[in-house]
Amino acid sequence: MKVRVSYEALPGPGDYEFVRSDVDRQLPLRNLHWVRTSGANRSIRTIQSLPVDFRPLHSFGSNQGALSLLERPYLHLLFVVCDDNETYRATIRTQIREWLDSVIARQNQEWLIVHVTSGRSAGAKFYQRKGAVVDKIKADFNTGKKDRCIQVFQAASAEDPTAWAEFTNKVKEGIIATFDSNVSLYEEDVRKADSQRQLEGWQYLPFFLQKEALADSFESMNLFDDALVQYDELEASFFQAMKEHNMSSFGKVGGLAPGDDALPLLSTTNKPYRKLIQTNDISIFDFRIYLFARQAAMLFHLGKITEVAKRGAFFISTFARRLREDQNSLGQNFVESWTYSACLSIVDDCQRWVDGDLVDKATAASFLAVKAELLELARKQLDKIGIGAGHLPLVHPFSMSLNETVAEVSSDPTRDAKNRPPVSRRDLIDAVASREVFDKLYIDLTNRSIQAYQGAGRKRCSLKLHASLAALEDHRDRQASAQKLYSHLPAHYVDLRWVKIESSLLTQCTRLQGTLDMSRERLLSTLALIRAGVEFGSKSWSLDAVEDPSVHRSRGEDMTTLAKKLMDDVYSLSSTLSKDFAAIAFPTFSMRLASEHGSTAADEDGVTVPLIIKSLLPCTLKIDEVRLKFATAEGEQIWFTSGGCTLAVGETRVTLFCPTAVTGRLALELSQIRFSRIIFQYSHRPISPRNLAPDPRNAPLTAQQPHVHFPRDHQALDIYTELPRTIHLDQGRHAIICIAAGRNHIVKLSFKVTTPTADLSFAFDSAQIIEGAAKVSPSAPEGSLVMEGIHAATIVKIQLPVVGPIRDASIDYFTTKRPTTRRIIRRAVSYPVALPLAVNVQDFFREDCLLSKFSVTTDGLRGLKVRSAHLEAVAGIVVKPCRSPKSSTLTILPLQTANFLFKIVREPAAVVDPLRLTLTYCSVEDQLQARIHEAITSVIASSDFIDDVRWFLELVSAEICARTNLHEFSTGGRFDHLQFRQEAWSPVVELRFGTRAEQALEAVRMIYEALREGGAQEPETAWRTLTIPVELPSLNILNLVHIAASFNRVEVGQAIPITLSIRPTFSWSNGGVPDPLVLSYDITAKMEDWLISGRKKGEFEAKDGEETAIRLTLVPLRAGALFLPSVAIRPISPSRHPLSCETQHLNAATNIEVLPTASQGLFVLDLDGIVV
Amino acid sequence: MDSPRLSTSAPPTRSPSASALRILAIAVLGKHGNPLFLQSYSARRGGQADLKWQYAAHTSLDFFEERELPAAKTIDSYLGLLYAMEDYAVYGYQSNTRIKFVLILALADAVVRDIDVKTIFRAIHNAYISHISNPSPPLRPTIPPLSLHRYGVASSPRRWTTLQEGLRRKTMARRHSRRISISKQ
């Protein structure tokens, strides 16, 4: 309703036409400011724009008392069109008076007299000013301070917008003043009515009317905010009144009129609501709808579309609940039908606003979300109607829509059924009647809702609706499309583990996939369903979301059968798979090692490890295999397996076996359970630090990787290398591979060696068994050796020609126990290439013999013992050692050198083979080891620990070696320092032998004793021989030099004549001496000893055995025993190859005794005679 | 405990419009939106009937997400009414560690005051805190329903006032005990 303003024109009503266009141009009024003159809230309200309804005064009728304040004019305007003073005085003035009297008689209404003049055309204002009509009017009618008379110029506003500014200001002032006083009046009334609330007989509806009048006047002034506040307060006081007064005034709930269920919710004109309220004849149904529609209208004015929809959804939900309390009086499906149409009606109305108006994007988006809610609410009604009409079954997704709270009053459905209004909504009636129509309606509405939810970004809400669509398809026996719809859904719930929803969806999936014969999909769904049954908090398994609560069975038993059935399904479905399927980190099982210590198998090679498998399933389960993967420190993978077993509920202990005797600390990497073709696989590697938020289902039980320690099995097959006892440096090298069979009777054994570099080769075909009994199979593949029939407790040593270092060796072998099991042992073995000693030779040639000096040095680290050095004579050679063959063993400490000298005499002109130097030696370490082994084997041989000899060899010798200082041992060679410490040995022995610990301890003690008393007896096994080929050296020229002095006792300065004779011999030469051969000689002597006179240097032609003599004179320069000078002789003849030439001084040791001079000469220098 | 007395304190006849907050379900959701706890207090419970609340709690995550948006972000933990769907209304509350509490109340044709809902949420939050502060939690997580039972929210529909009374009694008792401990010092 617009604000009304009355107008009157003088002299006649037709005179308004002069100003009508001017007045219309001012409308609507803009920027009105209202400050309450009364009341506490004095904040300023601005009305942007206000349309005003201009009406002639007489249209309000004579009796305005019947009109409400709102319907009365807010302002009375009188336009006076008269520029003539006379006329004014004669008639107009009285007419104005009359008008004024009639207006003032009405209270609370403002008035304004507007003098209209044709203005500027009337000539100079200046002269007319005094006698202008407007002044007269002002003088006559203005009372009080307020100026209620203004003047306007006709048609001026067209050119000048400010010309009528005063008019608009005055009109605004007037309207605001009236409005303000009206509000005060209304508020007074409301207050009065409100204060009587506690009194008996207070009625809500009159109060409502008074308050609504106030709201109306706010609305008429475009103050929708304030109007909305009034309605909100009314709603609150309605609930208050309901609570306090039980609302006897509302006789009935209502909603009985035909078509009530399909009314457009937001219309205030469905029924004459106001009249019904005034006559106190309105039903709660109508009243609530009216109240909400008014609120919505205000919100629409404010542009709050989303708010309308939001409040609408809430209102519909709450009021439907209220209606349901009076279900009995309402028709069947009435509430559903009303809710349905109300929702759609709000959606339509709001949509119209959104589509039509320029609503900003944020509002449109937020409306979309609420729209989806409303559509879903409407859809729920279809669920209920569908269930009621038998179109839908009363099962899960549909039954969610059934109401929770109201205990349905089971009333006789036939009772006054005729009085109940039937559902009048056409589409619903059709839907109830026909299933096809219902389906179409249902699917359309659901899709609309899904679209809206998706548009608003509410993914989860739309998922929920998808599920119900799928359920409808399923119920309509369209399994293929239902399966398709269902199969997409569970994945959305997996990540955040909404397992209940997931499992309910998966149940449907598995069932549908079962009927559709999609075995692979069904298998995956069943697995997912079993996984969804694991509860994360309690770590238990249950699928109660799948359960139908109506079926009463004991819950535990039910779960057991369900789990059993599901696992059986998985088993049978997966058996059809062509490939194994790995289910990684499946949460129903978890595995941990039962112990950190593995054990060796009792009577065969291999180790076992105990494992505990925890199954969360409530049923026992037969599994096919359990496998564990371990890694050694070198990265080698070791698999442990167990056969099929039955997993009990909870924990089951399983022992796994590995046929290879592994030793040491192994890290558990993987564990697997085989179940038909499904492999449940669990990683035990520590969590990577990069993965910050690991899935708690996948996380291993402990942060550290589990480890198992396996003891060494001393009766298992073993492999090691040895150096050959004899080494010939000039022959091909060999390695000795030792295979200790241990307890095994080996049926067949295949042996391979890998080397770090490719340029090494092993002549397997020339392998030779040098110890032990085994049959070498001729049909071995390239690069391997196959042997058969090795008996237990024997050691087979194979000599293999080898070049270079060996990296590791691996053996596959089959034993008589478990002849089908191939066992593999892979061992990294080291084979030393360097010898622990070095030999150098130095040759000294003489005319008739050769002296060879062999120097033996250690490798600088280990001491060495050399028992003998023997140079083997060949034909034509006589060798005489310097060292007596009976002399004792020579010990060379690491930094020492031992020399062995041999005299070799050659028969003239004999062609000889190379000589061989054979050294018998051993390193101190080897000797130590050998002596310990000797002691151990001799002691053990007489005890009953013969099977465990390897244990003793390993542990006892390691202990004794550790306690022995090698340096002391190499000099002393005794074990006096050894002390048998029982307290140290007894725990070790007990761990190994258990009940036989006493005897074993005694055996150890005896080993100690034997060593201490064993004295110096050397076991033969430690000694090795090294054979070095030595070529007989040759020399082209050997010069024999003899210096003959005339006398050998002289004084200093006394000359000695000498004869130097040089006799070259070619006897050590193997030919190749040129003829003629010219040699040069050079005598060198110490400068301070001798002064040489004569041919000091010279040349001569050399002939075998011919002597050349040179005469010289020597003068000694100092006293003492002086050696004769030495002579260096070199060949100077040009030769194709260099000639070797050596000089032997035959009398090099001869010295000349030089005496000091007997006569002394004294020389005096006169220092004074020297002039400086 | 005092539950018999509480049950007799409920008036024998209730007018249909009397405002009674009925808790249908309570859910506690983790930081990422994973369910930590969900219990239905509805008359129909167990099996498939609980799925309705599972879905309700799950869809409420959409609303939590919307409130997380910068435009709608508040510093208040209490997020108010998230949505109403015919017979139930879903209220949300988010702790500062982003643990979400979802309260599903039966929708009534009456004004629900925020202060009442907030009080329930605070009770749930306290129960949650006491549960996670327990260094030795029980094997089966039964704490939240138990402690809520103490506040009067039980499996049977019960009046909201009992919940409030229970709370008030508890806080008074705590205050009293604190005073005693101070005087001992």
Side-chain angles (χ1 to χ4, degrees):
Chain A
M1 196 183 287
K2 285 183 186 174
V3 169
R4 291 171 180 177
V5 172
S6 78
Y7 63 85
E8 188 76 26
L10 287 175
D15 289 321
Y16 180 66
E17 300 308 320
F18 289 109
V19 290
R20 181 182 291 274
S21 61
D22 281 317
V23 171
D24 286 349
R25 213 168 282 134
Q26 310 306 319
L27 296 179
L29 296 175
R30 295 189 189 280
N31 291 330
L32 283 77
H33 301 285
W34 171 50
V35 183
R36 271 173 199 265
T37 51
S38 61
N41 185 7
R42 286 186 178 270
S43 63
I44 189 162
R45 300 293 175 91
T46 301
I47 301 153
Q48 298 278 327
S49 157
L50 181 70
V52 182
D53 186 9
F54 272 79
R55 292 187 185 195
L57 183 59
H58 56 81
S59 68
F60 289 94
S62 54
N63 184 15
Q64 284 195 9
L67 296 176
S68 70
L69 286 177
L70 184 60
E71 286 164 327
R72 293 177 201 173
Y74 273 43
L75 179 68
H76 296 279
L77 285 175
L78 181 65
F79 294 96
V80 180
V81 186
C82 171
D83 281 334
D84 184 14
N85 278 340
E86 291 307 314
T87 324
Y88 171 73
R89 217 173 294 147
T91 57
I92 303 291
R93 190 203 305 229
T94 39
Q95 283 174 323
I96 292 176
R97 178 62 64 195
E98 280 168 17
W99 174 81
L100 194 56
D101 287 344
S102 75
V103 167
I104 288 176
R106 299 161 189 171
Q107 282 180 338
N108 291 327
Q109 289 172 27
E110 288 288 319
W111 54 270
L112 184 66
I113 300 168
V114 185
H115 179 242
V116 183
T117 174
S118 50
R120 285 143 209 194
S121 59
K125 261 162 108 183
F126 184 78
Y127 298 108
Q128 288 192 346
R129 191 176 171 85
K130 202 171 180 184
V133 176
V134 66
D135 296 324
K136 290 207 165 57
I137 295 173
K138 279 185 182 172
D140 289 342
F141 300 106
N142 258 352
T143 54
K145 283 184 218 162
K146 221 171 183 178
D147 184 10
R148 297 177 196 269
C149 303
I150 58 164
Q151 185 180 36
V152 295
F153 295 99
Q154 189 199 343
S157 65
E159 300 139 26
D160 181 7
T162 58
W164 279 59
E166 193 182 7
F167 170 76
T168 47
N169 283 343
K170 286 289 175 191
V171 170
K172 283 193 228 172
E173 262 176 39
I175 289 174
I176 290 292
T178 313
F179 170 66
D180 187 55
S181 64
N182 282 359
V183 167
S184 310
L185 282 175
Y186 282 131
E187 281 180 341
E188 189 57 37
D189 288 348
V190 169
R191 218 175 348 261
K192 215 177 280 170
D194 203 22
S195 65
Q196 292 164 352
R197 186 186 286 255
Q198 303 303 327
L199 297 179
E200 201 62 39
W202 182 81
Q203 297 282 317
Y204 175 74
L205 287 179
F207 170 72
F208 177 85
L209 282 173
Q210 277 163 344
K211 195 130 171 129
E212 192 184 23
L214 177 59
D216 278 347
S217 58
F218 279 128
E219 188 193 355
S220 70
M221 290 295 283
N222 279 2
L223 288 167
F224 302 113
D225 273 324
D226 298 76
L228 182 62
V229 168
Q230 301 307 317
Y231 284 112
D232 288 350
E233 284 174 6
L234 276 174
E235 189 183 14
S237 61
F238 172 77
F239 286 121
Q240 185 79 15
M242 276 297 231
K243 214 164 144 188
E244 289 169 3
H245 295 272
N246 209 9
M247 280 309 191
S248 52
S249 56
F250 288 103
K252 48 204 178 295
V253 175
L256 295 170
D260 262 3
D261 60 322
L263 287 178
L265 186 69
L266 298 184
S267 162
T268 51
T269 52
N270 295 329
K271 294 181 185 176
Y273 291 115
R274 286 234 177 150
K275 190 168 266 174
L276 288 171
I277 293 169
Q278 275 162 1
T279 56
N280 210 351
D281 206 19
I282 194 161
S283 63
I284 287 183
F285 179 78
D286 290 335
F287 174 75
R288 291 291 299 276
I289 288 177
Y290 173 70
L291 183 57
F292 178 71
R294 290 295 297 161
Q295 286 174 321
M298 295 306 127
L299 287 169
F300 273 136
H301 281 303
L302 292 166
K304 294 181 174 171
I305 315 295
T306 316
E307 183 80 14
V308 175
K310 217 177 259 178
R311 283 186 181 213
F314 194 71
F315 167 71
I316 293 168
S317 294
T318 51
F319 190 55
R321 186 187 177 281
R322 174 77 185 78
L323 286 176
R324 207 159 278 124
E325 285 173 6
D326 290 289
Q327 188 81 39
N328 282 346
S329 64
L330 297 169
Q332 196 195 3
N333 286 343
F334 175 85
V335 180
E336 285 76 20
S337 170
W338 176 79
T339 312
Y340 178 80
S341 42
C343 288
L344 293 185
S345 144
I346 290 183
V347 168
D348 289 346
D349 283 354
C350 293
Q351 193 66 48
R352 212 171 297 131
W353 273 85
V354 170
D355 292 344
D357 244 12
L358 287 171
V359 179
D360 57 303
K361 272 187 185 160
T363 316
S366 59
F367 165 67
L368 202 56
V370 192
K371 175 185 165 186
E373 275 176 52
L374 283 165
L375 291 173
E376 192 192 337
L377 187 53
R379 199 196 60 88
K380 289 184 92 161
Q381 311 313 314
L382 285 183
D383 273 343
K384 283 187 275 187
I385 292 170
I387 290 172
H391 294 331
L392 294 176
L394 185 64
V395 291
H396 157 61
F398 310 115
S399 63
M400 279 208 297
S401 304
L402 291 183
N403 287 310
E404 205 53 42
T405 48
V406 179
E408 304 284 343
V409 186
S410 58
S411 61
D412 183 8
T414 55
R415 190 174 62 100
D416 53 64
K418 290 189 186 88
N419 295 348
R420 300 179 181 192
V423 171
S424 61
R425 218 187 140 88
R426 194 68 246 160
D427 48 359
L428 288 184
I429 294 169
D430 292 345
V432 169
S434 150
R435 178 167 288 196
E436 283 69 39
V437 176
F438 176 82
D439 283 2
K440 187 172 177 330
L441 196 65
Y442 190 87
I443 292 170
D444 282 353
L445 190 59
T446 310
N447 279 333
R448 266 182 84 187
S449 183
I450 288 172
Q451 255 169 20
Y453 269 135
Q454 278 169 347
R458 288 185 180 169
K459 209 179 66 187
R460 297 173 184 89
C461 295
S462 70
L463 282 178
K464 178 179 159 187
L465 298 182
H466 274 297
S468 68
L469 271 188
L472 181 72
E473 290 292 303
D474 182 22
H475 185 61
R476 293 285 179 265
D477 280 338
R478 294 191 284 270
Q479 277 122 347
S481 68
Q483 191 271 332
K484 207 168 162 191
L485 284 170
Y486 266 129
S487 61
H488 295 301
L489 295 175
H492 295 281
Y493 297 95
V494 174
D495 284 350
L496 291 177
R497 305 198 289 285
W498 288 84
V499 287
K500 290 243 164 79
I501 301 178
E502 192 195 347
S503 56
S504 85
L505 293 170
L506 284 169
T507 318
Q508 305 295 336
C509 280
T510 47
R511 187 176 49 73
L512 287 167
Q513 283 154 358
T515 51
L516 292 170
D517 226 15
M518 304 165 77
S519 61
R520 190 181 157 76
E521 285 77 4
R522 184 167 171 221
L523 171 63
L524 295 179
S525 306
T526 313
L527 276 175
L529 182 58
I530 294 165
R531 187 182 55 193
V534 177
E535 273 174 29
F536 296 99
S538 57
K539 287 271 173 208
S540 61
W541 194 89
S542 118
L543 275 178
D544 49 4
V546 180
E547 213 182 355
D548 191 355
S550 58
V551 184
H552 277 287
R553 258 184 294 178
S554 122
R555 187 170 165 278
E557 188 188 320
D558 205 28
M559 282 299 130
T560 309
T561 47
L562 179 63
K564 183 99 194 138
K565 183 190 158 300
L566 289 173
M567 287 314 281
D568 286 350
D569 282 353
V570 169
Y571 197 91
S572 55
L573 287 168
S574 64
S575 59
T576 61
L577 288 179
S578 57
K579 273 200 295 187
D580 281 352
F581 179 84
I584 291 164
F586 204 74
T588 47
F589 306 107
S590 60
M591 290 185 249
R592 64 187 160 88
L593 294 170
S595 158
E596 286 197 346
H597 299 281
S599 50
T600 53
D603 53 352
E604 58 180 322
D605 284 9
V607 280
T608 58
V609 63
L611 179 78
I612 290 177
I613 303 177
K614 190 178 177 191
S615 161
L616 297 181
L617 293 174
C619 62
T620 58
L621 190 68
K622 269 193 126 114
I623 53 172
D624 295 339
E625 191 183 22
V626 185
R627 277 154 62 91
L628 293 181
K629 186 174 100 176
F630 283 90
T632 60
E634 293 85 37
E636 196 187 335
Q637 294 181 356
I638 309 276
W639 284 93
F640 282 69
T641 53
S642 87
C645 59
T646 304
L647 295 186
V649 183
E651 294 190 343
T652 310
R653 197 182 166 104
V654 178
T655 303
L656 289 95
F657 176 72
C658 170
T660 306
V662 287
T663 308
R665 195 159 176 263
L666 268 63
L668 179 61
E669 299 237 302
L670 266 188
S671 51
Q672 294 182 338
I673 295 177
R674 173 180 285 278
F675 184 69
S676 182
R677 304 220 64 159
I678 306 283
I679 293 171
F680 298 109
Q681 183 170 306
Y682 305 86
S683 167
H684 295 270
R685 290 209 187 93
I687 315 160
S688 154
R690 272 180 298 173
N691 189 359
L692 288 175
D695 190 337
R697 287 179 293 187
N698 298 353
L701 290 171
T702 50
Q704 271 188 328
Q705 196 168 4
H707 283 87
V708 187
H709 184 83
F710 292 102
R712 192 169 176 92
D713 184 359
H714 293 96
Q715 296 186 45
L717 185 104
D718 197 15
I719 179 170
Y720 53 96
T721 56
E722 269 183 8
L723 278 175
R725 204 144 296 291
T726 320
I727 298 171
H728 295 277
L729 273 193
D730 56 339
Q731 287 169 19
R733 297 187 54 200
H734 297 277
I736 291 177
I737 310 285
C738 306
I739 298 167
R743 64 164 82 78
N744 303 294
H745 293 281
I746 295 167
V747 180
K748 189 179 167 191
L749 177 146
S750 156
F751 166 70
K752 267 183 216 167
V753 180
T754 55
T755 52
T757 49
D759 54 350
L760 296 182
S761 62
F762 294 90
F764 278 103
D765 40 1
S766 59
Q768 211 182 343
I769 293 174
I770 55 169
E771 196 182 318
K775 192 177 147 223
V776 177
S777 163
S779 61
E782 183 95 8
S784 68
L785 187 68
V786 175
M787 286 179 284
E788 286 169 1
I790 302 175
H791 290 285
T794 57
I795 296 174
V796 177
K797 296 192 177 177
I798 311 148
Q799 182 168 309
L800 262 186
V802 61
V803 186
I806 301 171
R807 189 172 58 184
D808 57 8
S810 68
I811 286 182
D812 300 0
Y813 61 104
F814 298 86
T815 58
T816 46
K817 190 179 162 75
R818 297 190 200 240
T820 53
T821 305
R822 192 173 83 150
R823 294 160 199 260
I824 298 176
I825 179 169
R826 188 185 299 274
R827 185 72 46 84
V829 290
S830 63
Y831 176 73
V833 249
L835 289 169
L837 52 88
V839 179
N840 292 307
V841 62
Q842 200 176 357
D843 291 321
F844 302 95
F845 288 94
R846 294 293 175 262
E847 191 176 8
D848 52 348
C849 68
L850 168 71
L851 299 173
S852 285
K853 186 174 87 174
F854 292 90
S855 315
V856 178
T857 52
T858 66
D859 59 358
L861 296 170
R862 285 170 289 186
L864 203 65
K865 297 222 166 194
V866 181
R867 192 164 66 176
S868 70
H870 172 65
L871 194 62
E872 197 183 331
V874 292
I877 295 282
V878 178
V879 177
K880 204 176 159 197
C882 182
R883 186 178 153 88
S884 154
K886 285 174 204 151
S887 57
S888 63
T889 306
L890 193 66
T891 302
I892 313 171
L893 292 180
L895 294 173
Q896 287 177 334
T897 306
N899 293 326
F900 300 97
L901 191 65
F902 296 95
K903 180 181 182 186
I904 300 163
V905 179
R906 191 175 73 162
E907 287 174 12
V911 178
V912 293
D913 291 332
L915 305 175
R916 287 175 190 281
L917 176 72
T918 306
L919 282 174
T920 307
Y921 73 96
C922 72
S923 72
V924 175
E925 248 177 54
D926 285 349
Q927 195 193 21
L928 174 66
Q929 291 276 2
R931 284 191 49 190
I932 296 169
H933 279 221
E934 180 77 19
I936 291 172
T937 39
S938 64
V939 169
I940 295 302
S942 58
S943 74
D944 52 353
F945 291 103
I946 194 74
D947 283 345
D948 296 302
V949 66
R950 261 158 69 186
W951 184 86
F952 284 98
L953 283 178
E954 198 159 297
L955 264 83
V956 179
S957 77
E959 168 69 14
I960 294 173
C961 284
R963 301 239 164 245
T964 304
N965 184 334
L966 268 186
H967 188 78
E968 282 173 13
F969 180 78
S970 56
T971 51
R974 294 187 61 81
F975 289 99
D976 295 340
H977 60 282
L978 281 185
Q979 292 283 338
F980 173 68
R981 285 163 65 228
Q982 182 159 356
E983 67 277 14
W985 275 106
S986 56
V988 183
V989 171
E990 264 167 36
L991 193 69
R992 179 68 179 83
F993 293 101
T995 52
R996 296 194 296 158
E998 281 292 316
Q999 293 97 301
L1001 207 60
E1002 181 59 25
V1004 176
R1005 200 186 56 75
M1006 277 168 70
I1007 293 166
Y1008 273 73
E1009 286 294 312
L1011 281 171
R1012 279 165 63 89
E1013 293 166 4
Q1017 72 185 26
E1018 297 281 329
E1020 202 57 35
T1021 51
W1023 294 106
R1024 302 177 179 282
T1025 57
L1026 173 68
T1027 306
I1028 308 167
V1030 186
E1031 290 281 344
L1032 194 65
S1034 69
L1035 183 72
N1036 293 118
I1037 310 148
L1038 177 67
N1039 295 297
L1040 302 168
V1041 174
H1042 186 262
I1043 301 172
S1046 309
F1047 39 80
N1048 52 10
R1049 185 181 271 253
V1050 291
E1051 282 185 7
V1052 174
Q1054 187 181 358
I1056 314 166
I1058 57 167
T1059 309
L1060 167 69
S1061 55
I1062 302 168
R1063 182 161 57 89
T1065 168
F1066 304 152
S1067 61
W1068 288 105
S1069 165
N1070 296 333
V1073 180
D1075 193 32
L1077 173 73
V1078 180
L1079 297 173
S1080 77
Y1081 72 89
D1082 182 8
I1083 301 171
T1084 52
K1086 281 189 175 175
M1087 295 279 281
E1088 61 265 34
D1089 287 354
W1090 295 107
L1091 202 63
I1092 301 169
S1093 159
R1095 278 189 69 186
K1096 204 181 155 198
K1097 282 183 183 177
E1099 291 174 7
F1100 63 96
E1101 193 175 326
K1103 291 256 164 39
D1104 189 10
E1106 278 188 22
E1107 197 174 277
T1108 306
I1110 298 134
R1111 291 185 181 278
L1112 295 162
T1113 305
L1114 293 179
V1115 179
L1117 294 180
R1118 65 175 179 89
L1122 301 182
F1123 283 107
L1124 288 169
S1126 61
V1127 183
I1129 299 168
R1130 272 178 221 95
I1132 54 171
S1133 321
S1135 175
R1136 264 180 305 236
H1137 52 268
L1139 293 168
S1140 53
C1141 175
E1142 271 188 21
T1143 304
Q1144 187 196 355
H1145 288 82
L1146 292 172
N1147 56 347
T1150 313
N1151 58 8
I1152 306 286
E1153 198 172 337
V1154 182
L1155 301 172
T1157 41
S1159 58
Q1160 286 185 348
L1162 182 67
F1163 304 90
V1164 178
L1165 293 177
D1166 184 6
L1167 291 173
D1168 296 336
I1170 296 168
V1171 180
V1172 181
Chain B
M1 260 198 284
D2 48 3
S3 53
R5 205 186 63 76
L6 288 178
S7 60
T8 50
S9 71
T13 53
R14 281 191 294 153
S15 58
S17 60
S19 81
L21 287 188
R22 251 204 65 202
I23 297 176
L24 290 177
I26 291 173
V28 183
L29 311 179
K31 191 168 159 186
H32 305 289
N34 47 322
L36 300 175
F37 166 79
L38 195 145
Q39 180 67 52
S40 160
Y41 301 100
S42 154
R44 286 198 292 266
R45 253 184 304 160
Q48 295 192 336
D50 281 355
L51 279 174
K52 180 171 182 175
W53 311 123
Q54 293 273 350
Y55 272 117
H58 184 252
T59 47
S60 75
L61 286 173
D62 275 338
F63 295 83
F64 275 104
E65 259 172 30
E66 276 173 25
R67 303 295 174 96
E68 284 278 295
L69 295 177
K73 192 137 183 165
T74 56
I75 48 161
D76 199 1
S77 302
Y78 175 63
L79 301 179
L81 176 70
L82 298 179
Y83 68 101
M85 192 49 74
E86 187 155 44
D87 53 341
Y88 61 90
V90 181
Y91 289 81
Y93 182 95
Q94 181 164 264
S95 78
N96 46 6
T97 52
R98 300 187 64 206
I99 302 294
K100 301 163 180 69
F101 300 106
V102 179
L103 178 67
I104 301 171
L105 295 177
L107 201 63
D109 190 21
V111 179
V112 175
R113 288 188 301 157
D114 273 349
I115 179 86
D116 297 341
V117 184
K118 268 188 198 174
T119 317
I120 303 180
F121 270 126
R122 225 158 279 143
I124 299 173
H125 198 169
N126 286 338
Y128 175 76
I129 289 170
S130 72
H131 175 69
I132 59 164
S133 319
N134 186 356
S136 51
L139 287 173
R140 299 189 72 80
T142 50
I143 284 287
L146 268 184
S147 49
L148 281 172
H149 192 92
R150 222 182 326 151
Y151 295 128
V153 179
S155 52
S156 61
R158 204 164 270 165
R159 288 196 56 180
W160 154 237
T161 44
T162 59
L163 176 64
Q164 245 178 343
E165 276 170 15
L167 255 186
R168 201 177 303 129
R169 213 176 303 130
K170 194 177 178 215
T171 49
M172 280 174 68
R174 195 181 291 155
R175 228 173 274 149
H176 190 60
S177 66
R178 191 170 298 154
R179 208 170 290 146
I180 289 168
S181 67
I182 288 167
S183 67
K184 265 184 194 164
Q185 289 170 356

